[in-house]
């Protein structure tokens, strides 16, 4: 049985510092989904016959997966919360997600995994930007 992000945040004993809980949950969930999509897309790219043409896509996928994992981890920790760090991480994640979405979109006509990954990246970018807007 998996534990949902919302269940964990709901059980946090202290106040989340006025952060919109729904936006936080959505952002963490989108980051985790994007990290998985990017990891799978990079692996699928490695299986393509034209792997040499996908080097930048693979690199961007892996960078995005790492950034999304990091963002989900930072957002999941609230003790000693620092809004400046959270803002910086969210901005970096949104930037990497946009770059990855753009790169994957360039290959989406030939590779379905790139189309799916681009969608996950755009969704994560939006979630990061929405949470950022709510932080003030």
């Amino acid at each position: 049985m998996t534990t949902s992000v919302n269940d964990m945040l709901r059980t946090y004993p202290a106040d989340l510092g006025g952060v919109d809980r729904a936006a936080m949950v959505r952002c963490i969930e989108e980051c985790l989904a994007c990290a998985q999509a990017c990891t799978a897309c990079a692996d699928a790219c490695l299986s393509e016959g034209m792997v040499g043409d996908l080097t930048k896509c693979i690199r961007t996928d892996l960078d995005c997966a790492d950034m999304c994992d990091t963002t989900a981890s930072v957002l999941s920790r609230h003790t000693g919360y620092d809004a400046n760090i959270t803002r910086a991480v969210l901005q970096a994640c949104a930037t990497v997600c946009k770059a990855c979405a753009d790169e994957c979109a360039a290959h989406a006509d030939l590779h379905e995994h790139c189309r799916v990954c681009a969608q996950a990246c755009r969704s994560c970018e939006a979630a990061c930007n929405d949470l950022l807007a709510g932080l003030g």
Side-chain angles (χ1 to χ4, degrees):
M1 178 178 179
T2 59
T3 303
S4 77
V5 173
N6 190 48
D7 289 342
M8 284 306 300
L9 287 180
R10 188 177 38 76
T11 65
Y12 191 72
D15 179 42
L16 294 180
V19 175
D20 179 343
R21 186 180 306 265
M24 177 81 75
V25 168
R26 178 175 163 245
C27 193
I28 293 169
E29 288 175 343
E30 292 291 349
C31 283
L32 294 171
C34 189
Q36 188 280 326
C38 288
T39 299
C41 186
D43 186 65
C45 286
L46 288 169
S47 296
E48 296 289 352
M50 57 190 288
V51 68
D53 295 337
L54 296 169
T55 304
K56 183 176 179 187
C57 189
I58 295 165
R59 172 61 188 260
T60 307
D61 280 336
L62 295 175
D63 287 348
C64 191
D66 287 346
M67 192 67 230
C68 288
D69 277 335
T70 298
T71 302
S73 293
V74 169
L75 293 178
S76 296
R77 293 189 289 262
H78 304 284
T79 303
Y81 172 77
D82 185 328
N84 292 324
I85 292 172
T86 300
R87 275 190 209 90
V89 169
L90 285 167
Q91 288 168 339
C93 191
T95 299
V96 174
C97 284
K98 180 182 181 340
C100 192
D102 291 347
E103 179 61 29
C104 282
H107 304 285
D109 288 343
L110 292 174
H111 307 292
E112 180 71 5
H113 53 84
C114 287
R115 184 192 63 74
V116 171
C117 188
Q119 287 178 329
C121 290
R122 297 242 188 264
S123 184
C124 189
E125 175 190 8
C128 287
N129 285 328
D130 289 348
L131 185 55
L132 264 170
L135 294 179

